[in-house]
Amino acid sequence: DVVRDVPREIAKRGDTVHVVVPAYSRLHKDGVFKTNLDFDLRGTIYRAELYEVKPKKEIANIVHYVIHHPEIAEGGIAHIYHDDPTEPFYNDFVKFMIFNTAVAQAIKIEAFGKLDIVHMHDWHSSAVLFLKTYHPNYRELRKMRYVYSIHNLAIQGIRPFYNNYASMNNWFPEINLDHTALMDPRYHDCINLMAVGIRLADAVHTVSPSYKEDVLLPSRKPEFIGGESLEKDLQQAENEGRLFGILNASNYENIRVAETGFLYRNTVKALFRWLQDESKKYKADFLAHTGEKIMEHVGNRPRFIVSSVARLTEQKFYFFKRSPEALEQILKRLESVGGI
């Protein structure tokens, strides 16, 4: 929602916005090939491909791109990212180092034209800042200004400096690593890519003003989620006038009003349209698990619906976990008004 709405607001002012994301081995297939991107990684030459793609909705002054490389793969069914329980961020580090270096190369050769500002999101894109600061091939990127958005501060992209395939030294052997500037505050033999974004960007922003105040304080889990060990870096950004809190940056003005009394019917229709997409390989599992529950209410639609769109993490349901009787009371109350 942020990457959708922020470019639209910028474009309204007459500025041109270029949005670039990984192709995840599929998003480039209907795109228009623009150029090859050749760059050094691991002491060898990598080649990625830049495609311009058609968005779901055409907006003036916004151009969309994807970058394709065989190692930039999705993480499996219903996941963009990989789950690496033995070595966290291993696979994601590999693919996002390729993606970030490809983006840096595209900026360098002006594949997007001349840029004034580069806007990055979470640890997955912060290596662009590392490259422009330390890599001799990307000194030209220092002409631009860089904005870094924090969406999920807890996920920080921590990987070893050395002695691992997914380590900074293995992927950038030509760079003398500045350990003090790059290291994780807890694991001094590792880089923290979230910290890199906070430390090296010209401006850092959280997705709400109140969250900005939270992250300046240490976390006291599970009751309070604050700076997640990066509060000192965030305090420094605040002291330097680089830290901002902007509420979501999302547009709530164009919300469509559903026909009264047909919310459930429209939801079911939308779900089945989604299931018709041939790329949804897990549709049978979805139908087996959820279809019966859905169909139960098609003919006898509920009077009241409660829904939530969120990641099911401990932080988001902690109070229900601590006090399950509260959830039971909510469900009983919902049942009493004919809801689901």
Side-chain angles (χ1 to χ4, degrees):
D1 51 354
V2 176
V3 178
R4 179 196 65 214
D5 289 342
V6 169
R8 294 180 182 184
E9 292 303 311
I10 295 172
K12 285 180 183 178
R13 307 183 313 187
D15 296 319
T16 301
V17 185
H18 304 269
V19 180
V20 56
V21 301
Y24 296 114
S25 301
R26 59 187 174 85
L27 298 178
H28 65 293
K29 291 182 178 177
D30 294 324
V32 177
F33 175 78
K34 302 301 288 186
T35 186
N36 287 316
L37 300 169
D38 297 324
F39 46 89
D40 294 326
L41 274 179
R42 298 174 48 242
T44 189
I45 300 296
Y46 270 62
R47 169 167 286 183
E49 299 168 354
L50 180 70
Y51 290 82
E52 183 176 335
V53 292
K54 187 176 180 180
K56 290 182 178 179
K57 185 175 182 180
E58 299 274 2
I59 303 289
N61 299 327
I62 302 178
V63 188
H64 291 262
Y65 305 88
V66 297
I67 287 177
H68 169 64
H69 184 276
E71 290 184 79
I72 303 178
E74 60 186 339
I77 293 176
H79 294 284
I80 294 175
Y81 307 124
H82 282 79
D83 179 15
D84 305 313
T86 305
E87 288 195 56
F89 307 118
Y90 182 98
N91 282 300
D92 285 340
F93 176 91
V94 171
K95 68 185 177 188
F96 285 110
M97 287 306 105
I98 298 169
F99 174 71
N100 278 257
T101 312
V103 168
Q105 183 66 21
I107 295 172
K108 176 183 176 179
I109 67 173
E110 298 186 350
F112 312 119
K114 292 185 180 297
L115 302 182
D116 300 302
I117 296 169
V118 179
H119 184 188
M120 301 153 300
H121 300 266
D122 274 352
W123 77 264
H124 315 80
S125 58
S126 67
V128 171
L129 287 163
F130 166 82
L131 292 169
K132 73 97 176 176
T133 304
Y134 296 106
H135 202 296
N137 290 351
Y138 299 108
R139 290 189 177 124
E140 294 151 77
L141 273 63
R142 299 177 188 177
K143 297 181 292 187
M144 297 121 208
R145 304 278 281 173
Y146 291 81
V147 179
Y148 183 65
S149 289
I150 298 171
H151 300 267
N152 189 345
L153 186 60
I155 308 299
Q156 299 178 359
I158 301 168
R159 291 302 303 162
F161 282 124
Y162 304 101
N163 303 320
N164 190 288
Y165 182 83
S167 67
M168 294 303 288
N169 178 252
N170 186 62
W171 284 74
F172 301 103
E174 66 273 41
I175 298 177
N176 292 321
L177 298 173
D178 185 344
H179 302 101
T180 302
L182 301 171
M183 72 181 179
D184 181 87
R186 298 160 296 177
Y187 311 110
H188 293 180
D189 59 343
C190 293
I191 189 170
N192 183 312
L193 287 160
M194 176 65 76
V196 168
I198 295 167
R199 293 167 187 167
L200 300 182
D202 296 297
V204 181
H205 113 262
T206 67
V207 292
S208 80
S210 60
Y211 186 50
K212 173 196 161 184
E213 301 303 320
D214 288 347
V215 299
L216 294 172
L217 302 172
S219 294
R220 299 186 303 278
K221 292 183 178 179
E223 298 285 347
F224 176 75
I225 305 297
E228 297 288 80
S229 83
L230 298 180
E231 55 272 6
K232 290 184 179 178
D233 292 301
L234 290 155
Q235 290 164 14
Q236 182 170 339
E238 168 77 345
N239 293 337
E240 293 170 353
R242 297 188 294 115
L243 184 64
F244 304 88
I246 305 171
L247 183 59
N248 280 349
S250 295
N251 176 20
Y252 299 106
E253 295 179 357
N254 63 347
I255 294 175
R256 290 168 292 180
V257 178
E259 298 174 76
T260 302
F262 290 101
L263 178 60
Y264 193 82
R265 184 203 67 179
N266 293 343
T267 300
V268 172
K269 287 172 64 177
L271 280 170
F272 278 88
R273 277 197 298 267
W274 171 74
L275 286 167
Q276 290 170 15
D277 186 336
E278 292 183 4
S279 70
K280 308 303 180 190
K281 299 175 184 177
Y282 45 91
K283 63 178 72 174
D285 294 335
F286 175 86
L287 283 170
H289 182 266
T290 311
E292 185 177 349
K293 300 180 182 67
I294 290 174
M295 297 310 295
E296 178 186 344
H297 296 285
V298 170
N300 182 25
R301 67 174 184 261
R303 293 173 53 209
F304 194 89
I305 297 174
V306 174
S307 66
S308 173
V309 179
R311 292 172 296 110
L312 194 58
T313 63
E314 184 179 26
Q315 180 183 351
K316 293 181 180 290
F317 70 92
Y318 165 71
F319 290 104
F320 287 148
K321 183 179 178 181
R322 188 190 67 178
S323 306
E325 64 277 6
L327 178 58
E328 291 177 9
Q329 290 299 317
I330 291 172
L331 294 175
K332 287 178 182 177
R333 174 62 177 155
L334 189 57
E335 186 179 19
S336 72
V337 295
I340 60 170

